[in-house]
């Protein structure tokens, strides 16, 4: 298996919301104390709504012939799976609504992630935007926002930017996307998450 393929699999877009949430818990000062009593429940609901239920939905869509493969190489295959994923995430957010009242930055972060998913569903009807880079743009947007609000995380921000670059190059090497699809994906993810957190 080529290195570019390995990179793409390891940092699959479906894992980015969990990675981002974990990163936020580690970086935002004292945020863990606000939700300590509920942390196991939060993780269960997040894993269910962002990974397990979307994957089961993909399996079903493949079974009934709505998608040809889990990679969804054709952009026209992507709108329905993305829409379903966004709905699962909305349901998960609804279950966590009262808990995340005590950690509003995490709630906004999840809302923005759902917005990114729905935007991807709409855009994918016409164009094969990079889902990897939408995810990493969002991740960088979250870390940038936390750094802006609290300071002291410039090294981590740089590391995630570099990782995003590596992933972008890997996707181009695979011929999965062109440069515009990579750049636009990253910028949209970055803008939605950073604007959401910094403004609201």
């Amino acid at each position: 298996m080529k290195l570019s393929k390995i990179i793409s699999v390891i940092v699959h877009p479906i894992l980015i919301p969990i990675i981002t949430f974990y990163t936020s818990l580690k970086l935002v000062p004292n945020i863990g104390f606000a939700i300590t009593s509920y942390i196991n429940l939060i993780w269960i609901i997040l894993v269910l709504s962002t990974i397990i239920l979307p994957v089961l939905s993909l399996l079903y869509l493949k079974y009934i012939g709505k998608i040809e493969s889990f990679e969804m190489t054709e952009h026209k295959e992507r709108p329905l799976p993305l829409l379903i994923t966004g709905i699962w995430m909305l349901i998960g957010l609804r279950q966590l609504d009262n808990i995340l009242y005590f950690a509003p930055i995490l709630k906004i972060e999840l809302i923005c992630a759902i917005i990114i998913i729905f935007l991807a569903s709409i855009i994918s009807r016409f164009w094969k935007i990079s889902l990897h880079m939408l995810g990493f743009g969002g991740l960088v947007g979250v870390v940038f926002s936390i750094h802006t609000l609290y300071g002291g995380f410039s090294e981590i921000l740089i590391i995630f930017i570099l990782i995003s670059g590596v992933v972008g190059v890997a996707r181009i090497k695979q011929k999965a996307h062109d440069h515009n699809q990579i750049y636009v994906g990253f910028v949209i993810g970055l803008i939605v998450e950073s604007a959401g957190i910094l403004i609201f």
Side-chain angles (χ1 to χ4, degrees):
M1 186 181 290
K2 291 183 178 180
L3 179 59
S4 58
K5 176 70 171 178
I6 294 172
I7 292 171
S8 296
V9 171
I10 290 174
V11 290
H12 193 279
I14 206 166
L15 301 175
I16 300 299
I18 290 290
I19 295 171
T20 305
F21 195 86
Y22 177 80
T23 302
S24 300
L25 284 176
K26 292 298 182 182
L27 296 185
V28 177
N30 300 320
I31 198 167
F33 295 108
I35 55 175
T36 298
S37 301
Y38 306 99
I39 196 66
N40 290 334
L41 176 62
I42 291 172
W43 279 118
I44 290 170
I45 292 174
L46 279 178
V47 171
L48 277 172
S49 62
T50 65
I51 298 176
I52 295 176
L53 293 173
V55 167
L56 290 175
S57 299
L58 278 176
L59 288 168
Y60 178 71
L61 290 174
K62 189 174 186 301
Y63 175 74
I64 63 174
K66 291 293 184 181
I67 60 173
E68 291 185 12
S69 70
F70 298 130
E71 293 183 344
M72 296 178 290
T73 52
E74 295 295 325
H75 68 86
K76 291 183 179 179
E77 290 185 289
R78 296 182 170 192
L80 181 58
L82 288 168
L83 177 63
I84 292 171
T85 298
I87 291 171
W88 283 129
M89 290 178 67
L90 266 177
I91 293 170
L93 177 65
R94 181 68 185 88
Q95 299 302 310
L96 293 173
D97 191 46
N98 292 332
I99 298 173
L100 294 184
Y101 172 82
F102 301 103
I105 193 169
L106 298 179
K107 183 176 180 178
I108 293 169
E109 175 185 312
L110 286 174
I111 291 171
C112 289
I114 293 168
I115 290 171
I116 290 171
I117 294 290
F118 284 136
L119 283 174
S121 178
I122 294 169
I123 293 170
S124 293
R125 292 176 61 87
F126 315 100
W127 195 51
K128 192 184 177 185
I129 192 167
S130 172
L131 302 181
H132 280 80
M133 297 315 292
L134 277 167
F136 270 95
L139 174 54
V140 170
V142 168
V143 177
F144 168 76
S145 301
I146 294 172
H147 174 66
T148 301
L149 292 171
Y150 302 102
F153 303 111
S154 55
E155 296 88 354
I156 297 172
L157 178 60
I158 291 169
I159 288 170
F160 277 124
I161 291 173
L162 291 174
I163 293 173
S164 299
V166 170
V167 174
V169 170
R171 298 302 287 162
I172 291 172
K173 289 286 187 183
Q174 277 189 272
K175 300 188 182 337
H177 296 285
D178 61 32
H179 287 79
N180 288 335
Q181 292 162 346
I182 294 292
Y183 298 146
V184 172
F186 183 82
V187 170
I188 288 177
L190 175 69
I191 289 174
V192 171
E193 282 286 3
S194 56
I197 293 172
L198 294 176
I199 293 172
F200 297 104

